[in-house]
Amino acid sequence: MAKKTISPGGNVSGVVELPGDKSISHRYAILASLAEGTSEIRNYSSSADCLSSIECMRKLGIQIDLTKDFVRVAGKGLDGLKAPKRALDAGNSGSTIRMLSGVLAGQNFTSTITGDKSLQRRPMRRVAEPLRQMGADIRAKDGDRAPIEIHGAKLKAIDYTPPIPSAQVKSAVLLAGLYADGVTTLRESVRTRDHTEITLREMGANVETSKGEIRIHPRPKLQPRQFIVPGDLSGSVFLIAAALVLPDSAIMLHNVGLNPTRTKVLDFLISIGASINLASVQLRDGELIGDVSVRYAPLTGGAISGPQVAEMIDELPMLAALGAYTEHGIEIHDAQELRVKESDRIAALAAGLQAMGAKVTEYPDGLRVEGTSSGKLRGAKVDPQGDHRIAMALAVTALGAEGDTVVRDSECVGVSFPEFFTTLDKLRDAEARGAAAT
Ligand code: S3P
């Protein structure tokens, strides 16, 4: 098991080209497979999760070629998938298993989908429930866990409001809606990421949205497309945080996805004092993209709760950890969802930060991380519990500690951002190179 040693200090500076957004890459792989012809996707995420989506689609009979410059998907139309010979393996990827379940529910064959140990612990009833209402016969282990056996059926259109805001569940229902006998309606109280709706529209589907209501018309002929995946904003947040931990930092991130359902994290950081500027913002393939520049600035701290939780769900570990570098700390509530992510993120983060000397209070639905007045952090051996976002959050936290930190099992960052440590090292080297030149 690989470990990564983080020596603190210095700053980050330079320009970064980010790998493609994980959420968008999944959707492009799945929807391009259902299109009537060949799509080409540039800047597809290099993450293990997005490779799991490609592998699953291949097992469903879709030819997908990975070239140096793009991923080529030979879509076979809505009814072109074939029954897989064995159980599909979604690896660590909640997006793959949940979104693909929606597609599989509409097929005229039976399939099983499962994943690694972490994925087998995560709740699946939330996706099985609406798909059952649509008419699919779905059997999950203990009613709520993978492996999930999906007996596809002729689906009925439903009007559904997920009890917990979730873009994955919303997407599963919309994808199943492609196969339904009428218009499927999905209602959400908090606007979660809308890449599925955007991609469907870009490919010619009829998707109407107004005031928290999304309606998908069935059986579109999805058109193949050439897509360029925007840079991954959720991954970039770890680099942005590094610039906010290390004084004198200044970084610029190119072509980052700036979809408004994803940027609440930037609004929050700005509200607590971060110096973040956007430039060259434009619309490409239905998604906003632009350049993000960040300069070090002291942070005041603040609270996150209610709808903000779903809007910043993947960034909460990093935001909580940043609390140790703020004046008043960061407190998060209403975030019990964090306990059923790739790890129990509240417990994993609290343990890692406490090992570094941070003062942390754990709540059933969140945590509080005290600010700088509770003393400087110290390097420690930390265990991210196999969770990519915890590993990156702890590594960035270590940059401002006293002494080295060793992150166990550091290769788990490959689940979303395999280039994370090399990118961080390069931004830190840039400083060393600059210092050597002066
Ligand atoms: C995702 C949605 C979120 C997020 C996950 C990716 C997506 O999950 O945590 O990393 O791509 O739709 P939920 O929809 O379960 O909140």
Side-chain angles (χ1 to χ4, degrees):
M1 226 184 264
K3 331 182 255 219
K4 174 79 182 173
T5 301
I6 308 281
S7 300
N11 63 35
V12 282
S13 63
V15 179
V16 187
E17 294 294 338
L18 287 161
D21 185 83
K22 182 160 86 74
S23 289
I24 297 176
S25 295
H26 284 300
R27 285 148 172 94
Y28 285 176
I30 294 173
L31 283 166
S33 298
L34 304 179
E36 314 235 337
T38 299
S39 295
E40 280 175 2
I41 308 165
R42 284 175 200 271
N43 203 33
Y44 190 85
S45 165
S46 48
S47 67
D49 269 11
C50 291
L51 292 177
S52 293
S53 280
I54 287 185
E55 266 321 300
C56 288
M57 297 323 296
R58 281 179 171 158
K59 296 271 158 47
L60 288 162
I62 301 299
Q63 189 182 333
I64 303 184
D65 301 320
L66 307 184
T67 74
K68 192 171 70 57
D69 295 321
F70 49 75
V71 171
R72 189 188 290 116
V73 183
K76 288 188 173 172
L78 285 184
D79 299 309
L81 302 183
K82 66 167 210 281
K85 291 202 179 74
R86 277 180 285 280
L88 300 167
D89 183 2
N92 194 243
S93 173
S95 299
T96 307
I97 194 169
R98 295 200 179 115
M99 293 200 288
L100 204 47
S101 294
V103 174
L104 295 172
Q107 306 302 315
N108 62 0
F109 55 74
T110 294
S111 52
T112 299
I113 182 160
T114 188
D116 68 7
K117 277 210 180 77
S118 151
L119 197 62
Q120 288 181 36
R121 283 194 295 265
R122 297 179 61 188
M124 296 298 151
R125 186 176 285 124
R126 56 183 63 190
V127 74
E129 184 51 41
L131 297 177
R132 275 191 202 114
Q133 287 184 23
M134 294 179 86
D137 176 9
I138 302 202
R139 297 171 202 172
K141 189 167 163 244
D142 304 325
D144 196 24
R145 302 274 182 264
I148 326 179
E149 198 181 290
I150 302 172
H151 299 261
K154 289 213 175 319
L155 300 181
K156 296 191 288 281
I158 56 168
D159 185 328
Y160 190 70
T161 306
I164 305 162
S166 163
Q168 292 176 353
V169 173
K170 168 176 69 174
S171 300
V173 173
L174 295 177
L175 291 172
L178 294 172
Y179 295 89
D181 62 358
V183 177
T184 297
T185 304
L186 190 295
R187 296 168 200 273
E188 49 182 10
S189 52
V190 181
R191 205 165 151 227
T192 63
R193 65 194 73 191
D194 61 356
H195 309 300
T196 303
E197 297 91 303
I198 291 175
T199 311
L200 279 165
R201 250 189 231 120
E202 287 289 305
M203 298 178 90
N206 185 354
V207 186
E208 299 156 346
T209 46
S210 82
K211 295 193 206 104
E213 195 180 306
I214 305 144
R215 290 157 55 83
I216 170 105
H217 292 251
R219 302 220 65 93
K221 255 179 173 278
L222 295 177
Q223 300 306 312
R225 284 287 312 266
Q226 305 223 326
F227 284 121
I228 308 176
V229 184
D232 193 318
L233 176 64
S234 298
S236 81
V237 163
F238 297 100
L239 305 174
I240 292 172
L244 297 171
V245 166
L246 296 170
D248 301 323
S249 292
I251 59 171
M252 150 88 100
L253 309 153
H254 263 165
N255 292 323
V256 188
L258 294 175
N259 179 314
T261 60
R262 299 284 294 281
T263 50
K264 296 292 185 298
V265 59
L266 301 181
D267 300 341
F268 176 76
L269 285 169
I270 292 166
S271 78
I272 64 167
S275 165
I276 298 179
N277 288 293
L278 307 183
S280 310
V281 178
Q282 53 176 302
L283 201 60
R284 190 179 67 197
D285 300 333
E287 293 282 354
L288 276 183
I289 57 166
D291 298 337
V292 179
S293 52
V294 188
R295 284 186 171 278
Y296 172 82
L299 304 176
T300 53
I304 297 169
S305 64
Q308 288 173 299
V309 165
E311 291 165 347
M312 308 195 271
I313 189 75
D314 291 338
E315 293 77 44
L316 293 179
M318 188 67 256
L319 293 177
L322 263 184
Y325 294 98
T326 63
E327 192 183 346
H328 306 299
I330 300 260
E331 182 155 332
I332 298 176
H333 285 289
D334 304 322
Q336 48 276 37
E337 266 299 292
L338 288 179
R339 295 203 183 270
V340 291
K341 289 290 179 187
E342 287 83 327
S343 68
D344 175 341
R345 287 187 167 159
I346 296 174
L349 195 62
L353 293 175
Q354 277 161 347
M356 297 170 81
K359 201 157 166 263
V360 182
T361 313
E362 200 180 318
Y363 307 111
D365 68 342
L367 72 170
R368 171 171 179 79
V369 181
E370 301 296 338
T372 42
S373 60
S374 64
K376 200 163 159 67
L377 301 186
R378 52 174 190 270
K381 282 199 175 107
V382 292
D383 181 358
Q385 310 281 336
D387 184 327
H388 54 126
R389 296 203 200 274
I390 301 298
M392 292 187 276
L394 293 174
V396 169
T397 308
L399 296 172
E402 222 151 68
D404 289 357
T405 291
V406 177
V407 182
R408 263 192 77 195
D409 189 15
S410 55
E411 77 274 10
C412 69
V413 302
V415 159
S416 66
F417 195 174
E419 308 82 352
F420 171 69
F421 285 116
T422 44
T423 308
L424 182 62
D425 287 347
K426 258 192 223 144
L427 290 172
R428 300 183 78 200
D429 278 359
E431 184 235 346
R433 276 199 307 274
T438 51

